[in-house]
Amino acid sequence: MQLGTRWTSGDDAPKAVPDALRRGIRSVDDAMPADELGQPRPRWTLTWLEGKPIAELDTGVIVELDADGEAVVRHDPEDGFG
């Protein structure tokens, strides 16, 4: 059993996050516009489903690994933004 974790977008991902997933997360973080109003940044949640890591941002963005071990970014269709 692997436990998940949370961290704030823009911060370094925890060591438990595989490198390929980390690169996908960083690409999402880098693409987010700066908040000039000083609102809190969304947070990532790392979970493990059947031994595979999945990172989900509070906004509904999901980063997971495909069959080749490459990061894939998608949106949760149930978050209201999809």
Side-chain angles (χ1 to χ4, degrees), residues 5-81:
T5 188
R6 286 182 54 83
W7 70 98
T8 303
S9 65
D11 291 351
D12 289 334
K15 292 180 182 183
V17 177
D19 288 339
L21 194 66
R22 184 183 307 268
R23 288 189 296 273
I25 291 166
R26 178 59 55 201
S27 72
V28 172
D29 284 346
D30 290 346
M32 287 195 315
D35 181 1
E36 297 177 12
L37 300 176
Q39 297 296 310
R41 292 179 291 169
R43 293 180 51 85
W44 287 101
T45 301
L46 174 69
T47 56
W48 297 85
L49 181 61
E50 297 178 3
K52 297 178 183 177
I54 300 172
E56 183 170 359
L57 194 59
D58 291 341
T59 62
V61 173
I62 296 172
V63 181
E64 58 190 337
L65 300 179
D66 65 12
D68 296 325
E70 296 298 319
V72 176
V73 178
R74 64 181 179 88
H75 291 86
D76 184 347
E78 295 181 13
D79 69 2
F81 295 104

